[in-house]
Every structure is written in C-alpha cells, then in structure tokens.
Amino acid sequence: RKELMTMEARKMAGKNKKATDVKAANANNIRDGLVSLRSFKRRTVVWPAALIVNEFEFKCMLYDISLGGVRLKLDLPLATGAKVNIKIKDFDYTEALVSWHADAFVGLKFVEDLAFIENMLGD
C-alpha cells in the first residue's frame, strides 16, 4: 500500500511540475511578446512619485520608466483611460493616461510629446 501511495505521489508531483513549467513558459512568452510590442526601452528604477487624480494627491513608488510611460505601485484601482498628473522625483508634473492596472500596479502613458519627456528626463 505504501508503494502504491508513493507511486501516486510521484505522478502528482510530475503533473504539478509540468503545470508549473507550462505556466512559466507562458509567462515568458507573454513577457517576450510585450517587450517586442514596446516602442521605448524601459529602465528599472525605484523612485518616489506623486500622482494627482482629480483634486487628490497620492504618494507612490515608480518601478520602471520609459519615454512612453511608467509603471508604479499604487493600491488604488484607477479606470483605464483616466487622465492624471504625475510628479516623478524632482521633475515637473506631467500629464498621463492610465493604460492598465493589475493588483497594486498601474501603468501610465505620457500624454506630453516625446521631446518634452526627453527634455524632462534627460539622460
């Protein structure tokens, strides 16, 4: 009986490992696909920011940035397409649109033209 249970446990472990491998492969494929769709190179950062939504200001943390937008952590689900203003570090406020939100993260797309963002962020 022990031997039968051990065989069943091995089968289950093998199935779980296969499912985990498939999930990891799918996540990698999704990530690789998203990277190829991006127009701008992303830079990983950990910068403080302030987000203004209507008349409310929320302190948040930025986790990556590009000339196209940012990903930040904010425990507030914002509607996709909502217009916001963001102040990154000591830079000026700039307008952005909410592109997506998932869990505690929000993706913003800069509204300002590319030259303005390049000038604001510098190197």
Side-chain angles (χ1 to χ4, degrees), residues 13-57:
K15 286 180 183 178
N16 289 341
K17 182 176 179 351
K18 286 179 187 175
T20 301
D21 291 347
V22 167
K23 284 181 185 177
N26 287 340
N28 288 338
N29 289 340
I30 291 168
R31 186 188 69 240
D32 292 345
L34 289 173
V35 167
S36 69
L37 290 174
R38 291 190 175 129
S39 301
F40 304 101
K41 184 178 178 188
R42 291 197 168 259
R43 180 175 172 190
T44 301
V45 296
V46 180
W47 289 348
L51 190 68
I52 295 181
V53 182
N54 297 324
E55 67 273 5
F56 302 101
E57 182 173 307

Side-chain angles (χ1 to χ4, degrees), residues 36-104:
S36 69
L37 290 174
R38 291 190 175 129
S39 301
F40 304 101
K41 184 178 178 188
R42 291 197 168 259
R43 180 175 172 190
T44 301
V45 296
V46 180
W47 289 348
L51 190 68
I52 295 181
V53 182
N54 297 324
E55 67 273 5
F56 302 101
E57 182 173 307
F58 301 94
K59 300 291 182 198
C60 53
M61 195 61 71
L62 219 63
Y63 286 95
D64 64 42
I65 189 167
S66 75
L67 294 175
V70 298
R71 178 176 61 104
L72 55 90
K73 189 168 187 176
L74 180 71
D75 289 326
L76 179 70
L78 297 174
T80 301
K83 190 177 271 190
V84 298
N85 282 296
I86 185 166
K87 180 172 178 51
I88 302 165
K89 291 178 62 171
D90 297 326
F91 303 131
D92 292 330
Y93 278 95
T94 187
E95 286 187 14
L97 294 174
V98 176
S99 295
W100 58 268
H101 62 86
D103 298 325

Side-chain angles (χ1 to χ4, degrees), residues 67 112-122:
L67 294 175
E112 306 287 351
D113 67 357
L114 187 58
F116 177 87
I117 301 301
E118 285 177 331
N119 188 49
M120 178 182 80
L121 296 177

